[in-house]
Amino acid sequence: MDEQQERRGGGRPRRWPRPWADDWADDEPRTAPWPWRSTLLLTVLVPAGSTFAAHAQQGERAALDPFARVLLLVACGLLLWRRRHPVAVVFGTAVTAAVYLGAGYPYGPVFLTVAVACFAAVVAGHRRAAWTALGILCAVHLLVAHWLYRWLPPAGDAPASFAQEIVVTGWVVAIVAVAELARARREQWARDRAERAQAARRRADEERLRIARELHDVLAHSLSVINVQAGVGLALLDSDPDQARTALTTIKSASKEALGEVRQVLDTLRAPGAAPRAPAPGLDRLPELVEQAARAGLTVEVLGERPRLSPGTDLAAFRIVQEALTNVVRHSGSRHARVHLERAGAAVRLRIDDDGPATGADAGGSGNGLAGMRERAAALGGTIEAGPRPDGGFRVLAELPAEKREDR
């Protein structure tokens, strides 16, 4: 169904991982760039180097003929597909080099094509295919150099020395080691890139959650005041015009303040990384919060002195008190609330109480207030307890570290 949906959308079908797939399977993307320059360079160097090697081994190995030239060009030409079909290319170059070796042609740069193909296959993740191709080539070399040389050209050829076998083995080990090192570096680079992308997504999610909490707290508090005052204004519009005018004034003041705070939050979105134009609110604005609550008909008593807090903790404390008072306005029948501030060692305690009872009215709330307070406290390493009191009413108890961890 997912593939049909993606085809309807004009995109390519999703390729699901196949855990049973062998690493010989050629799963390299078909859109990999063609290695034209390196292939062209090898197509020039390998035949030229083989010609030089033929002069150096004249009389020991068979002379280069048109068939040898074709084998060299085929081995070099296959390298053009090494990024798109690394398995086929590593086996193709190994077979071509084995035929070249069996025909008695001079040792030389033809083995460089196998090394390049093996390197590409290992880096692409097809390790067993690369090792198998090298194993086949080494086995053919041993058979030709120590047994089949009697029946293969050139005539009168002698068995290869074991010193030569040590050199060949050393080259094979070096090729495998370099290829494995490159593969490990490539995988590490891919892991680092994935981790950086994941960290960026996590930071974006955290920033999005922070902005959502800010907007919720600002709008919930202000709209709750507006909602209450609008109800008062409507009820007293005919019987007490002066009181209705006061309610409308409160609505205007609350909406103006809400617009200012929303604009401040949105400014951080328009200019990411820039310093905010206004400082973040903190407990120093608690008197303003008390005044706003009074305009909504709630009397707030503040107990204790305002502690000195880091900016992050100060903002979280202010928003928690703001949300708690908003919930009292929305959901409590009490018109009196108490905010108690207390510094206890490296922590600060906030206690917000009202005498209840609950009204059962939602006042247009979203239900995210307590969740937002818990998220703010958890982000700082603090805790939130909220629930009915034994003697009636409701209590919010928050304990936050006085110093935000990343501010230290």
Side-chain angles (χ1 to χ4, degrees):
M1 183 177 295
D2 290 337
E3 291 185 0
Q4 292 175 356
Q5 292 175 353
E6 291 199 16
R7 288 193 181 101
R8 293 192 192 106
R12 295 180 59 187
R14 183 180 299 173
R15 298 180 61 189
W16 298 101
R18 296 175 296 164
W20 61 86
D22 190 271
D23 73 347
W24 288 25
D26 197 355
D27 288 332
E28 282 296 295
R30 300 299 184 265
T31 57
W34 296 94
W36 288 102
R37 295 180 180 178
S38 57
T39 302
L40 183 61
L41 180 62
L42 289 171
T43 304
V44 174
L45 293 180
V46 169
S50 298
T51 301
F52 179 79
H55 288 294
Q57 301 173 42
Q58 190 172 7
E60 300 177 5
R61 307 292 294 171
L64 293 178
D65 55 19
F67 181 64
R69 304 285 182 183
V70 170
L71 290 177
L72 293 175
L73 291 177
V74 168
C76 294
L78 286 174
L79 296 179
L80 187 61
W81 284 270
R82 66 182 184 272
R83 292 180 180 173
R84 301 194 176 196
H85 306 281
V87 175
V89 170
V90 73
F91 278 106
T93 53
V95 170
T96 303
V99 173
Y100 179 93
L101 183 65
Y105 296 123
Y107 295 104
V110 66
F111 300 109
L112 182 61
T113 61
V114 182
V116 172
C118 177
F119 181 87
V122 172
V123 169
H126 305 289
R127 305 166 67 188
R128 284 195 295 166
W131 296 346
T132 302
L134 280 178
I136 291 174
L137 182 59
C138 290
V140 170
H141 169 70
L142 289 175
L143 288 174
V144 171
H146 297 280
W147 183 40
L148 298 179
Y149 70 91
R150 300 181 182 90
W151 302 282
L152 294 175
D157 194 13
S161 64
F162 284 98
Q164 182 180 354
E165 299 300 334
I166 294 175
V167 173
V168 172
T169 303
W171 276 106
V172 171
V173 172
I175 292 171
V176 172
V178 172
E180 288 291 341
L181 178 61
R183 180 190 62 83
R185 293 291 298 273
R186 181 179 179 181
E187 291 180 353
Q188 182 63 42
W189 176 79
R191 284 194 297 269
D192 293 342
R193 184 176 62 176
E195 290 175 359
R196 288 194 298 270
Q198 184 178 4
R201 288 193 298 270
R202 184 170 58 251
R203 287 193 298 270
D205 291 340
E206 291 173 353
E207 181 66 11
R208 185 164 53 248
L209 182 60
R210 183 192 69 81
I211 293 172
R213 283 198 300 261
E214 287 292 308
L215 289 175
H216 172 272
D217 292 346
V218 170
L219 296 177
H221 176 75
S222 300
L223 292 178
S224 294
V225 174
I226 292 171
N227 180 64
V228 171
Q229 292 299 318
V232 172
L234 287 174
L236 301 177
L237 185 60
D238 296 326
S239 60
D240 192 348
D242 291 337
Q243 188 65 30
R245 186 178 297 107
T246 302
L248 291 176
T249 303
T250 301
I251 290 174
K252 180 180 179 181
S253 175
S255 60
K256 180 179 180 181
E257 181 178 353
L259 286 173
E261 292 201 38
V262 170
R263 188 177 296 112
Q264 180 181 348
V265 174
L266 295 180
D267 282 343
T268 63
L269 295 179
R270 295 191 181 98
R277 299 179 182 178
L283 290 179
D284 58 334
R285 291 181 55 183
L286 196 53
E288 298 179 24
L289 201 58
V290 171
E291 183 180 351
Q292 293 172 9
R295 290 198 295 265
L298 179 67
T299 301
V300 179
E301 180 183 1
V302 179
L303 305 174
E305 296 183 0
R306 182 175 70 89
R308 296 188 59 182
L309 304 173
S310 66
T313 303
D314 205 19
L315 172 62
F318 175 80
R319 292 304 188 197
I320 289 173
V321 174
Q322 183 184 51
E323 180 62 29
L325 295 179
T326 300
N327 288 339
V328 175
V329 173
R330 284 177 177 171
H331 308 298
S332 176
S334 173
R335 295 296 87 192
H336 184 269
R338 293 175 299 279
V339 177
H340 188 269
L341 308 176
E342 179 185 3
R343 178 69 182 262
V348 59
R349 289 195 183 97
L350 309 172
R351 189 173 73 244
I352 302 94
D353 292 297
D354 71 90
D355 298 327
T359 62
D362 60 5
S366 64
N368 295 322
L370 289 177
M373 286 193 287
R374 290 192 175 96
E375 289 172 357
R376 285 187 182 276
L380 298 172
T383 58
I384 284 281
E385 296 179 9
R389 297 187 308 172
D391 57 347
F394 198 84
R395 169 174 291 173
V396 174
L397 179 61
E399 184 169 337
L400 307 174
E403 294 292 331
K404 190 179 177 183
R405 284 174 293 183
E406 55 260 39
D407 290 343
R408 289 179 182 174

